[in-house]
mmCIF file of all heavy atoms in Angstrom:
data_model
loop_
_atom_site.group_PDB
_atom_site.id
_atom_site.type_symbol
_atom_site.label_atom_id
_atom_site.label_comp_id
_atom_site.label_asym_id
_atom_site.label_seq_id
_atom_site.Cartn_x
_atom_site.Cartn_y
_atom_site.Cartn_z
ATOM 1 N N ASN A 173 -6.283 14.490 -4.140
ATOM 2 C CA ASN A 173 -7.093 13.924 -5.284
ATOM 3 C C ASN A 173 -8.540 13.688 -4.723
ATOM 4 O O ASN A 173 -8.813 13.452 -3.580
ATOM 5 C CB ASN A 173 -6.536 12.509 -5.625
ATOM 6 C CG ASN A 173 -5.006 12.739 -6.124
ATOM 7 O OD1 ASN A 173 -4.773 13.730 -6.825
ATOM 8 N ND2 ASN A 173 -4.194 11.728 -5.741
ATOM 9 N N ALA A 174 -9.424 13.871 -5.798
ATOM 10 C CA ALA A 174 -10.836 13.671 -5.442
ATOM 11 C C ALA A 174 -11.222 12.363 -4.971
ATOM 12 O O ALA A 174 -12.136 12.150 -4.045
ATOM 13 C CB ALA A 174 -11.778 14.047 -6.640
ATOM 14 N N GLU A 175 -10.545 11.333 -5.214
ATOM 15 C CA GLU A 175 -10.877 9.895 -4.945
ATOM 16 C C GLU A 175 -10.706 9.750 -3.476
ATOM 17 O O GLU A 175 -11.305 8.901 -2.742
ATOM 18 C CB GLU A 175 -9.907 8.944 -5.633
ATOM 19 C CG GLU A 175 -10.164 8.862 -7.128
ATOM 20 C CD GLU A 175 -9.472 9.845 -8.010
ATOM 21 O OE1 GLU A 175 -8.819 10.740 -7.360
ATOM 22 O OE2 GLU A 175 -9.561 9.769 -9.164
ATOM 23 N N TYR A 176 -9.748 10.517 -2.811
ATOM 24 C CA TYR A 176 -9.571 10.458 -1.342
ATOM 25 C C TYR A 176 -10.840 10.678 -0.687
ATOM 26 O O TYR A 176 -11.118 9.966 0.281
ATOM 27 C CB TYR A 176 -8.515 11.510 -1.021
ATOM 28 C CG TYR A 176 -8.288 11.624 0.546
ATOM 29 C CD1 TYR A 176 -7.260 10.942 1.137
ATOM 30 C CD2 TYR A 176 -9.023 12.652 1.183
ATOM 31 C CE1 TYR A 176 -7.090 10.999 2.447
ATOM 32 C CE2 TYR A 176 -8.794 12.801 2.514
ATOM 33 C CZ TYR A 176 -7.807 11.959 3.204
ATOM 34 O OH TYR A 176 -7.585 12.186 4.494
ATOM 35 N N TYR A 177 -11.600 11.758 -0.965
ATOM 36 C CA TYR A 177 -12.799 12.077 -0.244
ATOM 37 C C TYR A 177 -13.985 11.060 -0.412
ATOM 38 O O TYR A 177 -14.823 11.079 0.416
ATOM 39 C CB TYR A 177 -13.200 13.506 -0.556
ATOM 40 C CG TYR A 177 -11.942 14.441 -0.394
ATOM 41 C CD1 TYR A 177 -10.960 14.725 -1.313
ATOM 42 C CD2 TYR A 177 -11.664 15.018 0.841
ATOM 43 C CE1 TYR A 177 -9.906 15.575 -1.115
ATOM 44 C CE2 TYR A 177 -10.581 15.789 1.068
ATOM 45 C CZ TYR A 177 -9.755 15.981 0.017
ATOM 46 O OH TYR A 177 -8.565 16.817 0.327
ATOM 47 N N GLN A 178 -13.830 10.371 -1.545
ATOM 48 C CA GLN A 178 -14.915 9.346 -1.814
ATOM 49 C C GLN A 178 -14.531 7.986 -1.160
ATOM 50 O O GLN A 178 -15.501 7.243 -0.855
ATOM 51 C CB GLN A 178 -15.035 9.116 -3.319
ATOM 52 C CG GLN A 178 -15.399 10.377 -4.098
ATOM 53 C CD GLN A 178 -15.171 10.383 -5.595
ATOM 54 O OE1 GLN A 178 -14.756 9.317 -6.040
ATOM 55 N NE2 GLN A 178 -15.395 11.473 -6.278
ATOM 56 N N ASP A 179 -13.272 7.872 -0.866
ATOM 57 C CA ASP A 179 -12.892 6.545 -0.387
ATOM 58 C C ASP A 179 -12.458 6.517 1.079
ATOM 59 O O ASP A 179 -12.723 5.443 1.784
ATOM 60 C CB ASP A 179 -11.638 6.032 -1.190
ATOM 61 C CG ASP A 179 -11.006 4.749 -0.745
ATOM 62 O OD1 ASP A 179 -11.731 3.682 -0.976
ATOM 63 O OD2 ASP A 179 -9.977 4.680 -0.151
ATOM 64 N N ARG A 180 -12.074 7.646 1.632
ATOM 65 C CA ARG A 180 -11.491 7.593 3.083
ATOM 66 C C ARG A 180 -12.584 7.226 4.010
ATOM 67 O O ARG A 180 -13.702 7.400 3.898
ATOM 68 C CB ARG A 180 -10.943 8.928 3.385
ATOM 69 C CG ARG A 180 -11.993 10.038 3.649
ATOM 70 C CD ARG A 180 -11.239 11.047 4.650
ATOM 71 N NE ARG A 180 -11.169 10.556 6.020
ATOM 72 C CZ ARG A 180 -10.465 11.010 6.959
ATOM 73 N NH1 ARG A 180 -9.678 12.108 6.782
ATOM 74 N NH2 ARG A 180 -10.330 10.628 8.193
ATOM 75 N N LYS A 181 -12.106 6.477 5.065
ATOM 76 C CA LYS A 181 -12.961 6.044 6.156
ATOM 77 C C LYS A 181 -12.792 6.891 7.415
ATOM 78 O O LYS A 181 -11.881 7.626 7.488
ATOM 79 C CB LYS A 181 -12.745 4.500 6.381
ATOM 80 C CG LYS A 181 -12.708 3.616 5.188
ATOM 81 C CD LYS A 181 -14.061 3.669 4.513
ATOM 82 C CE LYS A 181 -14.159 2.637 3.446
ATOM 83 N NZ LYS A 181 -13.230 2.926 2.287
ATOM 84 N N ILE A 182 -13.766 6.812 8.261
ATOM 85 C CA ILE A 182 -13.810 7.572 9.463
ATOM 86 C C ILE A 182 -12.967 6.925 10.586
ATOM 87 O O ILE A 182 -12.048 7.400 11.319
ATOM 88 C CB ILE A 182 -15.163 7.874 9.974
ATOM 89 C CG1 ILE A 182 -15.979 8.429 8.769
ATOM 90 C CG2 ILE A 182 -15.088 8.852 11.163
ATOM 91 C CD1 ILE A 182 -15.410 9.703 8.233
ATOM 92 N N MET A 183 -13.201 5.647 10.938
ATOM 93 C CA MET A 183 -12.604 4.925 11.943
ATOM 94 C C MET A 183 -12.125 3.560 11.593
ATOM 95 O O MET A 183 -12.433 3.125 10.406
ATOM 96 C CB MET A 183 -13.742 4.817 13.038
ATOM 97 C CG MET A 183 -14.214 5.973 13.610
ATOM 98 S SD MET A 183 -13.153 6.960 14.592
ATOM 99 C CE MET A 183 -13.184 6.082 16.123
ATOM 100 N N THR A 184 -11.502 2.814 12.403
ATOM 101 C CA THR A 184 -11.086 1.519 12.277
ATOM 102 C C THR A 184 -11.555 0.578 13.360
ATOM 103 O O THR A 184 -11.373 0.896 14.474
ATOM 104 C CB THR A 184 -9.445 1.379 12.205
ATOM 105 O OG1 THR A 184 -8.961 2.185 11.191
ATOM 106 C CG2 THR A 184 -9.039 -0.047 12.114
ATOM 107 N N LEU A 185 -12.255 -0.442 12.858
ATOM 108 C CA LEU A 185 -12.827 -1.408 13.859
ATOM 109 C C LEU A 185 -11.817 -2.432 14.067
ATOM 110 O O LEU A 185 -11.377 -3.132 13.129
ATOM 111 C CB LEU A 185 -14.215 -1.988 13.236
ATOM 112 C CG LEU A 185 -14.926 -2.923 14.177
ATOM 113 C CD1 LEU A 185 -15.540 -2.161 15.376
ATOM 114 C CD2 LEU A 185 -16.127 -3.553 13.375
ATOM 115 N N ILE A 186 -11.534 -2.794 15.341
ATOM 116 C CA ILE A 186 -10.370 -3.702 15.681
ATOM 117 C C ILE A 186 -10.959 -4.869 16.473
ATOM 118 O O ILE A 186 -11.665 -4.715 17.450
ATOM 119 C CB ILE A 186 -9.318 -3.128 16.504
ATOM 120 C CG1 ILE A 186 -8.771 -1.894 15.751
ATOM 121 C CG2 ILE A 186 -8.220 -3.919 16.893
ATOM 122 C CD1 ILE A 186 -7.906 -0.907 16.563
ATOM 123 N N ASP A 187 -10.653 -6.116 16.038
ATOM 124 C CA ASP A 187 -11.243 -7.351 16.794
ATOM 125 C C ASP A 187 -9.994 -8.006 17.332
ATOM 126 O O ASP A 187 -9.301 -8.823 16.789
ATOM 127 C CB ASP A 187 -11.816 -8.336 15.841
ATOM 128 C CG ASP A 187 -12.645 -9.361 16.486
ATOM 129 O OD1 ASP A 187 -12.262 -9.665 17.747
ATOM 130 O OD2 ASP A 187 -13.640 -9.921 15.933
ATOM 131 N N PRO A 188 -9.648 -7.775 18.701
ATOM 132 C CA PRO A 188 -8.502 -8.482 19.352
ATOM 133 C C PRO A 188 -8.625 -9.970 19.424
ATOM 134 O O PRO A 188 -7.567 -10.743 19.371
ATOM 135 C CB PRO A 188 -8.601 -7.923 20.730
ATOM 136 C CG PRO A 188 -9.262 -6.585 20.708
ATOM 137 C CD PRO A 188 -10.315 -6.829 19.519
ATOM 138 N N TYR A 189 -9.962 -10.477 19.365
ATOM 139 C CA TYR A 189 -9.935 -11.914 19.442
ATOM 140 C C TYR A 189 -9.446 -12.622 18.149
ATOM 141 O O TYR A 189 -8.871 -13.762 18.156
ATOM 142 C CB TYR A 189 -11.506 -12.351 19.594
ATOM 143 C CG TYR A 189 -11.965 -12.345 21.025
ATOM 144 C CD1 TYR A 189 -12.085 -11.052 21.588
ATOM 145 C CD2 TYR A 189 -12.278 -13.455 21.751
ATOM 146 C CE1 TYR A 189 -12.412 -10.996 23.036
ATOM 147 C CE2 TYR A 189 -12.629 -13.285 23.125
ATOM 148 C CZ TYR A 189 -12.737 -12.031 23.669
ATOM 149 O OH TYR A 189 -13.137 -12.016 24.935
ATOM 150 N N LEU A 190 -9.609 -11.963 17.032
ATOM 151 C CA LEU A 190 -8.997 -12.491 15.766
ATOM 152 C C LEU A 190 -7.483 -12.493 15.697
ATOM 153 O O LEU A 190 -6.826 -13.299 14.958
ATOM 154 C CB LEU A 190 -9.542 -11.815 14.574
ATOM 155 C CG LEU A 190 -11.080 -11.917 14.187
ATOM 156 C CD1 LEU A 190 -11.360 -11.220 12.957
ATOM 157 C CD2 LEU A 190 -11.275 -13.447 14.024
ATOM 158 N N ALA A 191 -6.946 -11.753 16.672
ATOM 159 C CA ALA A 191 -5.436 -11.680 16.664
ATOM 160 C C ALA A 191 -4.881 -12.963 17.280
ATOM 161 O O ALA A 191 -3.778 -13.268 17.089
ATOM 162 C CB ALA A 191 -4.926 -10.523 17.567
ATOM 163 N N LYS A 192 -5.696 -13.783 17.860
ATOM 164 C CA LYS A 192 -5.395 -15.075 18.308
ATOM 165 C C LYS A 192 -5.151 -16.126 17.273
ATOM 166 O O LYS A 192 -4.719 -17.309 17.493
ATOM 167 C CB LYS A 192 -6.259 -15.577 19.470
ATOM 168 C CG LYS A 192 -6.469 -14.517 20.652
ATOM 169 C CD LYS A 192 -7.437 -15.071 21.599
ATOM 170 C CE LYS A 192 -7.728 -14.061 22.685
ATOM 171 N NZ LYS A 192 -8.808 -14.494 23.686
ATOM 172 N N GLU A 193 -5.729 -15.849 16.135
ATOM 173 C CA GLU A 193 -5.818 -16.847 15.060
ATOM 174 C C GLU A 193 -4.419 -16.834 14.402
ATOM 175 O O GLU A 193 -4.104 -16.127 13.422
ATOM 176 C CB GLU A 193 -6.894 -16.466 14.044
ATOM 177 C CG GLU A 193 -8.236 -16.561 14.574
ATOM 178 C CD GLU A 193 -8.633 -17.901 14.919
ATOM 179 O OE1 GLU A 193 -8.200 -18.854 14.304
ATOM 180 O OE2 GLU A 193 -9.539 -18.004 15.941
ATOM 181 N N GLN A 194 -3.538 -17.765 14.830
ATOM 182 C CA GLN A 194 -2.243 -17.866 14.282
ATOM 183 C C GLN A 194 -2.218 -18.279 12.784
ATOM 184 O O GLN A 194 -1.191 -18.022 12.136
ATOM 185 C CB GLN A 194 -1.408 -18.872 15.038
ATOM 186 C CG GLN A 194 -1.261 -18.490 16.550
ATOM 187 C CD GLN A 194 -0.545 -17.238 16.816
ATOM 188 O OE1 GLN A 194 0.334 -16.920 16.096
ATOM 189 N NE2 GLN A 194 -1.071 -16.504 17.823
ATOM 190 N N SER A 195 -3.340 -18.853 12.312
ATOM 191 C CA SER A 195 -3.321 -19.301 10.907
ATOM 192 C C SER A 195 -3.492 -18.183 9.934
ATOM 193 O O SER A 195 -3.263 -18.413 8.708
ATOM 194 C CB SER A 195 -4.450 -20.373 10.661
ATOM 195 O OG SER A 195 -5.667 -19.804 10.996
ATOM 196 N N LEU A 196 -3.930 -17.010 10.474
ATOM 197 C CA LEU A 196 -4.110 -15.887 9.434
ATOM 198 C C LEU A 196 -2.758 -15.329 8.934
ATOM 199 O O LEU A 196 -1.919 -15.201 9.640
ATOM 200 C CB LEU A 196 -4.851 -14.797 10.174
ATOM 201 C CG LEU A 196 -6.326 -15.068 10.567
ATOM 202 C CD1 LEU A 196 -6.890 -13.862 11.348
ATOM 203 C CD2 LEU A 196 -7.191 -15.285 9.427
ATOM 204 N N THR A 197 -2.805 -15.147 7.540
ATOM 205 C CA THR A 197 -1.695 -14.379 6.958
ATOM 206 C C THR A 197 -1.677 -12.956 7.310
ATOM 207 O O THR A 197 -2.759 -12.436 7.828
ATOM 208 C CB THR A 197 -1.689 -14.612 5.423
ATOM 209 O OG1 THR A 197 -2.805 -13.890 4.885
ATOM 210 C CG2 THR A 197 -1.780 -16.036 4.983
ATOM 211 N N THR A 198 -0.625 -12.233 7.040
ATOM 212 C CA THR A 198 -0.598 -10.814 7.369
ATOM 213 C C THR A 198 -1.646 -10.087 6.617
ATOM 214 O O THR A 198 -2.391 -9.187 7.171
ATOM 215 C CB THR A 198 0.832 -10.210 6.950
ATOM 216 O OG1 THR A 198 1.827 -10.920 7.745
ATOM 217 C CG2 THR A 198 0.866 -8.714 7.331
ATOM 218 N N GLU A 199 -1.847 -10.445 5.425
ATOM 219 C CA GLU A 199 -2.807 -9.734 4.546
ATOM 220 C C GLU A 199 -4.234 -10.066 5.062
ATOM 221 O O GLU A 199 -5.084 -9.108 5.235
ATOM 222 C CB GLU A 199 -2.750 -10.291 3.099
ATOM 223 C CG GLU A 199 -3.802 -9.447 2.152
ATOM 224 C CD GLU A 199 -3.675 -9.842 0.754
ATOM 225 O OE1 GLU A 199 -2.809 -10.687 0.488
ATOM 226 O OE2 GLU A 199 -4.428 -9.383 -0.055
ATOM 227 N N SER A 200 -4.480 -11.190 5.573
ATOM 228 C CA SER A 200 -5.773 -11.589 6.124
ATOM 229 C C SER A 200 -6.057 -10.921 7.392
ATOM 230 O O SER A 200 -7.107 -10.493 7.764
ATOM 231 C CB SER A 200 -5.925 -13.177 6.168
ATOM 232 O OG SER A 200 -5.831 -13.738 5.011
ATOM 233 N N MET A 201 -4.989 -10.777 8.171
ATOM 234 C CA MET A 201 -5.116 -10.167 9.449
ATOM 235 C C MET A 201 -5.574 -8.687 9.247
ATOM 236 O O MET A 201 -6.390 -8.138 9.991
ATOM 237 C CB MET A 201 -3.775 -10.174 10.202
ATOM 238 C CG MET A 201 -3.473 -11.504 10.858
ATOM 239 S SD MET A 201 -1.937 -11.646 11.684
ATOM 240 C CE MET A 201 -2.288 -10.574 13.142
ATOM 241 N N ASP A 202 -4.896 -8.011 8.243
ATOM 242 C CA ASP A 202 -5.302 -6.636 8.131
ATOM 243 C C ASP A 202 -6.739 -6.457 7.645
ATOM 244 O O ASP A 202 -7.451 -5.549 8.149
ATOM 245 C CB ASP A 202 -4.439 -6.082 6.950
ATOM 246 C CG ASP A 202 -3.115 -5.562 7.404
ATOM 247 O OD1 ASP A 202 -2.821 -5.518 8.629
ATOM 248 O OD2 ASP A 202 -2.273 -5.167 6.556
ATOM 249 N N LYS A 203 -7.221 -7.476 6.873
ATOM 250 C CA LYS A 203 -8.652 -7.391 6.404
ATOM 251 C C LYS A 203 -9.589 -7.807 7.511
ATOM 252 O O LYS A 203 -10.729 -7.207 7.499
ATOM 253 C CB LYS A 203 -8.766 -8.252 5.221
ATOM 254 C CG LYS A 203 -8.048 -7.786 4.039
ATOM 255 C CD LYS A 203 -8.291 -8.718 2.799
ATOM 256 C CE LYS A 203 -7.479 -8.346 1.577
ATOM 257 N NZ LYS A 203 -7.735 -9.129 0.464
ATOM 258 N N GLU A 204 -9.267 -8.639 8.290
ATOM 259 C CA GLU A 204 -10.148 -9.119 9.387
ATOM 260 C C GLU A 204 -10.103 -8.486 10.706
ATOM 261 O O GLU A 204 -11.113 -8.249 11.247
ATOM 262 C CB GLU A 204 -9.949 -10.636 9.553
ATOM 263 C CG GLU A 204 -10.246 -11.400 8.276
ATOM 264 C CD GLU A 204 -11.649 -11.352 7.735
ATOM 265 O OE1 GLU A 204 -12.640 -11.277 8.609
ATOM 266 O OE2 GLU A 204 -11.790 -11.329 6.486
ATOM 267 N N ILE A 205 -8.818 -8.189 11.100
ATOM 268 C CA ILE A 205 -8.634 -7.654 12.536
ATOM 269 C C ILE A 205 -8.904 -6.184 12.389
ATOM 270 O O ILE A 205 -9.565 -5.572 13.326
ATOM 271 C CB ILE A 205 -7.281 -7.896 13.038
ATOM 272 C CG1 ILE A 205 -7.068 -9.375 13.161
ATOM 273 C CG2 ILE A 205 -7.032 -7.131 14.298
ATOM 274 C CD1 ILE A 205 -5.648 -9.810 13.576
ATOM 275 N N TYR A 206 -8.401 -5.413 11.294
ATOM 276 C CA TYR A 206 -8.658 -3.993 11.159
ATOM 277 C C TYR A 206 -9.574 -3.727 10.070
ATOM 278 O O TYR A 206 -9.133 -3.893 8.871
ATOM 279 C CB TYR A 206 -7.272 -3.387 10.951
ATOM 280 C CG TYR A 206 -6.212 -3.580 11.997
ATOM 281 C CD1 TYR A 206 -5.436 -4.611 12.110
ATOM 282 C CD2 TYR A 206 -6.177 -2.549 12.923
ATOM 283 C CE1 TYR A 206 -4.484 -4.766 13.057
ATOM 284 C CE2 TYR A 206 -5.233 -2.641 13.951
ATOM 285 C CZ TYR A 206 -4.413 -3.668 14.020
ATOM 286 O OH TYR A 206 -3.563 -3.842 15.013
ATOM 287 N N LYS A 207 -10.804 -3.377 10.283
ATOM 288 C CA LYS A 207 -11.780 -3.097 9.264
ATOM 289 C C LYS A 207 -12.131 -1.591 9.339
ATOM 290 O O LYS A 207 -12.572 -1.013 10.266
ATOM 291 C CB LYS A 207 -13.027 -3.862 9.450
ATOM 292 C CG LYS A 207 -12.930 -5.363 9.168
ATOM 293 C CD LYS A 207 -14.258 -6.167 9.278
ATOM 294 C CE LYS A 207 -14.076 -7.658 8.906
ATOM 295 N NZ LYS A 207 -15.432 -8.248 8.805
ATOM 296 N N PRO A 208 -11.812 -0.956 8.226
ATOM 297 C CA PRO A 208 -12.227 0.475 8.165
ATOM 298 C C PRO A 208 -13.684 0.693 8.095
ATOM 299 O O PRO A 208 -14.481 -0.090 7.378
ATOM 300 C CB PRO A 208 -11.594 1.032 6.856
ATOM 301 C CG PRO A 208 -11.455 -0.172 5.946
ATOM 302 C CD PRO A 208 -11.169 -1.454 7.012
ATOM 303 N N VAL A 209 -14.307 1.654 8.764
ATOM 304 C CA VAL A 209 -15.719 1.724 8.859
ATOM 305 C C VAL A 209 -15.994 3.215 8.682
ATOM 306 O O VAL A 209 -15.305 4.142 9.153
ATOM 307 C CB VAL A 209 -16.286 1.217 10.143
ATOM 308 C CG1 VAL A 209 -16.214 -0.266 10.230
ATOM 309 C CG2 VAL A 209 -15.791 1.899 11.334
ATOM 310 N N GLY A 210 -17.229 3.478 8.059
ATOM 311 C CA GLY A 210 -17.779 4.885 7.886
ATOM 312 C C GLY A 210 -17.144 5.591 6.716
ATOM 313 O O GLY A 210 -15.935 5.477 6.556
ATOM 314 N N LYS A 211 -17.923 6.240 6.021
ATOM 315 C CA LYS A 211 -17.504 7.110 4.918
ATOM 316 C C LYS A 211 -17.937 8.494 4.942
ATOM 317 O O LYS A 211 -18.977 8.744 5.714
ATOM 318 C CB LYS A 211 -17.916 6.507 3.527
ATOM 319 C CG LYS A 211 -17.255 5.092 3.302
ATOM 320 C CD LYS A 211 -17.799 4.561 1.875
ATOM 321 C CE LYS A 211 -17.192 5.395 0.739
ATOM 322 N NZ LYS A 211 -17.475 4.875 -0.647
ATOM 323 N N LEU A 212 -17.434 9.526 4.250
ATOM 324 C CA LEU A 212 -18.039 10.692 4.249
ATOM 325 C C LEU A 212 -19.423 10.759 3.655
ATOM 326 O O LEU A 212 -19.613 10.015 2.651
ATOM 327 C CB LEU A 212 -17.071 11.616 3.501
ATOM 328 C CG LEU A 212 -15.746 11.867 3.999
ATOM 329 C CD1 LEU A 212 -14.871 12.782 2.984
ATOM 330 C CD2 LEU A 212 -15.708 12.715 5.345
ATOM 331 N N ALA A 213 -20.294 11.575 4.149
ATOM 332 C CA ALA A 213 -21.624 11.597 3.664
ATOM 333 C C ALA A 213 -21.560 12.123 2.226
ATOM 334 O O ALA A 213 -20.747 13.001 1.811
ATOM 335 C CB ALA A 213 -22.500 12.554 4.572
ATOM 336 N N SER A 214 -22.439 11.609 1.362
ATOM 337 C CA SER A 214 -22.379 12.008 -0.120
ATOM 338 C C SER A 214 -22.722 13.443 -0.280
ATOM 339 O O SER A 214 -22.197 13.942 -1.298
ATOM 340 C CB SER A 214 -23.552 11.113 -0.739
ATOM 341 O OG SER A 214 -24.722 11.304 -0.286
#
Side-chain angles (χ1 to χ4, degrees):
N173 301 320
E175 293 86 353
Y176 172 91
Y177 304 94
Q178 300 162 6
D179 180 69
R180 75 153 287 165
K181 306 303 188 289
I182 306 302
M183 302 288 284
T184 299
L185 187 66
I186 305 171
D187 192 336
Y189 278 69
L190 288 181
K192 302 175 183 178
E193 298 293 334
Q194 301 296 324
S195 61
L196 291 176
T197 65
T198 300
E199 183 179 0
S200 297
M201 287 179 67
D202 277 353
K203 293 180 179 178
E204 298 299 326
I205 298 176
Y206 297 87
K207 288 188 175 182
V209 294
K211 295 183 66 174
L212 293 175
S214 58

